[in-house]
Amino acid sequence: MDVLKSFSLEGKIALITGASYGIGFSIAEAYANAGATIVFNDINQDLVDKGLKAYEEKGIKAHGYVCNVTDEESVNQLIATIEKEVGVVDILVNNAGIIKRVPMTEMTAADWRLVIDVDLTGPFIMAKAVIPSMIQKGSGKIINICSMMSELGRETVSAYAAAKGGLKMLTRNICSEYGAHNIQCNGIGPGYIATPQTAPLREKQADGSRHPFDSFILAKTPAGRWGEPEDLMGPAVFLASNASDFVNGHILYVDGGILAYIGKQP
Ligand code: NAP
Ligand code: GCO
């Protein structure tokens, strides 16, 4: 067996949701470098245009579409268009996500539903749309972007933690239900990664000192730093490639060691 070749994504079509920037963009960049054709969607045309420009700057010819992952009709339309214009999706990465940091007793049910809709129902709708063609083809990879909050709770992120914990179980269920069709569904649980989503947690204080949450994360991470979107590249390629064909229903935490560590004593 040529083990290096088993990591190649040559000839594969990868669809990464919400991948105009941030973690999704880096995963797509890694897939392109590993040989895959890149398809992504985002919530509006401005973001898609921004993404297309960023891919072009990296020398990647990506296909970008506007699609809200919570809208089943547009998702079905998206998959039909991709199959017509590009081909059958071999790799789906459910990356699109939102967070609302609000104490639970102050959170409206509408905001709760919105987070669950984007972060949990979206991946269900997307996976449901690609699985039939994967079954027909006899193979497929689905990667769900989970979180530290798939395992841990913290103040203000009740809906996000419920959604990401649910996404972990959806991952295991897709594995259970479609593993016999040579479909592998795994999750990646990023630790604290420096992207716009976490920018408010890293904002400098008025006196120029670190945000208390920033210092907290540095103390809680054995690696002693925030992750960068590039830290997800290798793990994402592994889970999309034939190198992981017997890995199914697993959540790969890419967190600099946070989940292994009780934290620095004060
Ligand atoms: P992000 O800001 O969460 O980016 C996600 C992208 O998805 C954005 O372009 C966003 O558009 C888009 N999006 C939002 N709702 C959508 C919808 N309904 N349909 C389609 N696209 C939609 O950036 P990120 O930090 O790179 O996060 C990517 C994923 O990793 C998320 O699932 C997040 O929860 C997860 N994650 C992040 C971290 C971290 O530390 N950053 C850690 C663990 C897990 P807008 O810009 O308009 O919102
Ligand atoms: C928060 C953060 C986290 C991260 C990430 C951790 O407010 O605690 O935003 O939820 O984004 O998902 O893995």
Side-chain angles (χ1 to χ4, degrees):
M1 183 191 185
D2 183 338
V3 75
L4 271 185
K5 219 170 150 195
S6 73
F7 285 84
S8 166
L9 301 182
E10 211 63 57
K12 303 285 184 194
I13 295 171
L15 166 60
I16 303 102
T17 66
S20 300
Y21 66 90
I23 290 174
F25 181 86
S26 286
I27 290 177
E29 186 188 346
Y31 286 179
N33 290 338
T37 299
I38 302 307
V39 186
F40 73 99
N41 74 293
D42 221 310
I43 187 94
N44 59 47
Q45 192 63 53
D46 279 356
L47 275 172
V48 170
D49 290 344
K50 180 180 148 185
L52 286 172
K53 190 161 170 278
Y55 285 110
E56 206 180 303
E57 278 164 12
K58 295 268 182 188
I60 299 165
K61 192 193 157 315
H63 304 258
Y65 300 91
V66 175
C67 176
N68 184 333
V69 298
T70 67
D71 180 344
E72 187 160 22
E73 216 175 291
S74 354
V75 168
N76 290 339
Q77 184 64 52
L78 171 75
I79 300 306
T81 307
I82 295 170
E83 290 194 358
K84 205 165 115 215
E85 294 181 356
V86 192
V88 168
V89 173
D90 298 290
I91 303 157
L92 166 68
V93 181
N94 280 314
N95 166 77
I98 59 168
I99 189 166
K100 293 202 180 284
R101 299 183 184 97
V102 186
M104 194 182 118
T105 52
E106 291 163 31
M107 189 173 215
T108 62
D111 273 352
W112 165 276
R113 287 196 184 100
L114 184 61
V115 174
I116 301 288
D117 211 22
V118 178
D119 294 1
L120 182 56
T121 311
F124 158 76
I125 291 173
M126 290 296 310
K128 190 182 156 194
V130 297
I131 284 172
S133 295
M134 288 179 170
I135 291 176
Q136 235 177 10
K137 198 166 182 175
S139 63
K141 300 274 184 184
I142 299 173
I143 297 154
N144 292 327
I145 304 303
C146 297
S147 163
M148 294 289 87
M149 271 64 215
S150 299
E151 299 293 339
L152 302 169
R154 90 170 184 86
E155 301 79 358
T156 75
V157 297
S158 57
Y160 185 80
K164 295 293 187 178
L167 188 56
K168 173 178 70 177
M169 287 314 300
L170 177 65
T171 303
R172 291 181 181 162
N173 213 83
I174 293 173
C175 151
S176 309
E177 205 162 343
Y178 298 104
H181 293 280
N182 192 27
I183 293 173
Q184 289 83 46
C185 181
N186 292 290
I188 290 180
Y192 279 81
I193 312 293
T195 70
Q197 193 220 58
T198 53
L201 306 175
R202 282 175 284 109
E203 239 165 43
K204 284 266 188 298
Q205 301 297 276
D207 64 0
S209 63
R210 282 184 186 280
H211 191 295
F213 195 88
D214 184 356
S215 307
F216 164 66
I217 288 304
L218 292 180
K220 188 75 188 79
T221 311
R225 65 171 177 90
W226 283 68
E228 297 297 332
E230 290 74 17
D231 287 313
L232 282 317
M233 287 177 151
V237 168
F238 169 62
L239 291 179
S241 71
N242 294 125
S244 61
D245 278 354
F246 204 56
V247 180
N248 209 352
H250 183 75
I251 311 296
L252 177 51
Y253 289 99
V254 184
D255 65 352
I258 292 178
L259 287 178
Y261 186 39
I262 194 168
K264 209 165 257 147
Q265 68 171 340

